[in-house]
Each structure stands twice: as C-alpha cells, then as structure tokens.
C-alpha cells in the first residue's frame, strides 16, 4: 500500500469513526430498539450490520472473502 493510499484509508476510517460518534452521543434511553417503520432495521441492527460490513471488507483485504451475519 502506497503512502497516499494509506493516508486515504486512514482519513476514511477516521471520518466514519467521527461521524458515528457524533450521531451516537447522548442518544435517549431505548434508542437501540427504535424502528422508523415496521419494515426497517432497528438502530442496533444497523450498527451490527455496519460491523458485518467492516468484517467483510477486512476479510477481502486479507484475501479471503467471508460474510458473517452477526446478531446485535
């Protein structure tokens, strides 16, 4: 990985961490179970899915594509 690729990756990860922290700071009690509609995922399910996506991306970077659908 070149220096510019590493810098871009670090910036992308830092941006995701910053924005996620801003959204999740001081959420009200019970927010994890909130669903905007019956057909949508809850907040905690969305976060679990994001974790699944990061794990999947890491598996691809390591040369083995593996998807695991983890429970929240």
């Amino acid at each position: 990985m070149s220096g510019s690729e590493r810098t871009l990756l670090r910036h992308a990860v830092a941006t995701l961490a910053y924005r996620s922290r801003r959204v999740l700071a001081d959420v009200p009690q019970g927010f994890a179970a909130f669903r905007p509609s019956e057909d949508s995922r809850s907040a905690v399910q969305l976060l679990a899915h994001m974790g699944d996506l990061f794990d999947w991306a890491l598996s691809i970077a390591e040369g083995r594509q593996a998807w695991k659908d983890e429970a929240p």
Side-chain angles (χ1 to χ4, degrees), residues 33-72:
F34 173 74
R35 297 176 94 116
S37 73
E38 204 173 285
D39 297 331
S40 65
R41 295 179 179 178
S42 68
V44 73
Q45 288 172 320
L46 286 172
L47 287 175
H49 183 64
M50 286 176 62
D52 294 341
L53 290 171
F54 286 127
D55 287 342
W56 179 56
L58 178 61
S59 75
I60 292 171
E62 293 175 337
R64 53 173 185 81
Q65 185 171 346
W67 176 263
K68 289 194 307 186
D69 197 7
E70 298 288 342

Side-chain angles (χ1 to χ4, degrees), residues 1-12:
M1 182 180 289
S2 72
S4 62
E5 289 172 328
R6 184 175 298 232
T7 301
L8 179 61
L9 179 60
R10 287 180 62 172
H11 177 71

Side-chain angles (χ1 to χ4, degrees), residues 16-27:
L16 284 168
Y18 172 77
R19 293 194 179 266
S20 297
R21 187 176 139 265
R22 294 272 312 208
V23 168
L24 297 172
D26 302 322
V27 296

